[in-house]
Amino acid sequence: TTGNNNTRAYCILQLALGNMGTSGGGTNIFRGHDNVQGATDLGVLSHTLPGYYGLSKGAWAHWARVWEEDPDWLANQFDMLKGADGKDKSLQNLSGIPVSRWIDGILEDKENIDQPNNVRVMVLWGHAPNSQTRMTEMKTAMEQLDMLVVVDPYPTVSAVLQDRTDGVYLLPACTQFETRGSVTASNRSFQWRDRVVEPLFESLPDEVIMAKFANKFGWSDRLFRNIEMEDAETPNVESITREFNKGLWTIGYTGQSPERLKLHMANQHTFDRTTLRA
């Protein structure tokens, strides 16, 4: 599509008009959901750690300090690969498969992908693929997987596109009204959302689903080392926020504590909507 080119063109136009770098100026991309920026900031892209630090040795060292994790243990979780120059390279420092190309990780010959094996399991968490092209190939890829997991408040295209009769798991996640936590707009304005209603039916908050996985896989002690737990399967959201704030120096999250965001919301009537100043 031409979306990226359009975005760049508008930025260049505003730069030419002198509207960049001034109070009330700049360009702001309006996303389809209020926390798309927040999700991207936390490292869901295939080529970077949280905060756009990349995948260099220094980037891993930074987050190892934040997580209080052993860098060698982290490195040992990744396979090695022979590069074109014949040297061994760790997948820890190589980009993964982007969301628009995950199909190729299944359908391509193993020799053509930069990882030892083809993709066998796909987890689509809060992501419906109907915004992407190559839908026919996607259906074929889904049907070749060993297992497909869909985590969403409702069955998405991911859940019904394929004609599988087994190996598909639908895990109901809560909506924003059944959870609490911070959200980040594309201009990095922050808000804190409070839970409106208790989770309906069998739905669970994302962090609880993650904790269930971590407990099952046997490394919840590492994942939640610095996180306060309300019970064995419920990480404290405020504690999670404090941890990622410790590491996101690149994009202005430091200092945005849960306490500060909650006070901001309680006094939002005193903030100017244009200048964002109280």
Side-chain angles (χ1 to χ4, degrees), residues 63-79:
W63 282 105
R65 286 193 296 270
V66 174
W67 298 328
E68 298 178 18
E69 185 53 86
D70 176 11
D72 291 333
W73 182 88
L74 284 171
N76 288 334
Q77 306 312 301
F78 293 86
D79 245 325

Side-chain angles (χ1 to χ4, degrees), residues 12-214:
I12 293 167
L13 174 62
Q14 291 304 314
L15 188 64
L17 293 174
N19 292 331
M20 299 292 271
T22 63
S23 179
T27 55
N28 184 18
I29 308 304
F30 288 93
R31 316 297 282 267
H33 187 285
D34 60 359
N35 200 33
V36 172
Q37 190 66 55
T40 311
D41 290 347
L42 290 190
V44 298
L45 299 174
S46 61
H47 61 278
T48 182
L49 286 163
Y52 313 98
Y53 279 86
L55 296 172
S56 68
K57 187 175 181 179
W60 282 102
H62 167 72
W63 282 105
R65 286 193 296 270
V66 174
W67 298 328
E68 298 178 18
E69 185 53 86
D70 176 11
D72 291 333
W73 182 88
L74 284 171
N76 288 334
Q77 306 312 301
F78 293 86
D79 245 325
M80 301 297 291
L81 194 71
K82 283 286 184 188
D85 55 4
K87 296 180 180 179
D88 288 334
K89 296 183 178 181
S90 173
L91 291 180
Q92 184 183 28
N93 307 118
L94 300 178
S95 296
I97 303 174
V99 71
S100 59
R101 298 290 305 276
W102 68 267
I103 308 162
D104 298 320
I106 301 163
L107 301 181
E108 273 287 348
D109 290 335
K110 188 163 62 174
E111 293 72 26
N112 296 334
I113 57 178
D114 283 339
Q115 59 188 46
N117 295 292
N118 290 87
V119 173
R120 295 171 56 194
V121 176
M122 185 67 184
V123 181
L124 289 160
W125 199 317
H127 174 77
N130 44 303
S131 60
Q132 298 171 22
T133 56
R134 303 173 62 193
M135 197 67 75
T136 303
E137 290 173 281
M138 190 179 302
K139 179 178 184 296
T140 303
M142 285 181 170
E143 291 167 356
Q144 288 188 19
L145 288 166
D146 289 359
M147 181 169 65
L148 175 65
V149 181
V150 180
V151 187
D152 226 291
Y154 50 84
T156 62
V157 170
S158 315
V160 299
L161 177 63
Q162 27 68 34
D163 292 323
R164 300 177 65 113
T165 56
D166 61 6
V168 180
Y169 296 86
L170 307 183
L171 305 183
C174 290
T175 65
Q176 66 185 50
F177 304 108
E178 301 158 273
T179 59
R180 72 182 193 278
S182 66
V183 292
T184 308
S186 54
N187 66 342
R188 295 221 168 77
S189 291
F190 298 86
Q191 286 187 344
W192 188 269
R193 298 283 173 80
D194 290 314
R195 173 180 281 174
V196 178
V197 294
E198 291 296 315
L200 298 176
F201 307 110
E202 296 177 311
S203 68
L204 294 173
D206 288 329
E207 67 273 10
V208 173
I209 298 173
M210 290 180 191
K212 284 180 174 289
F213 276 132

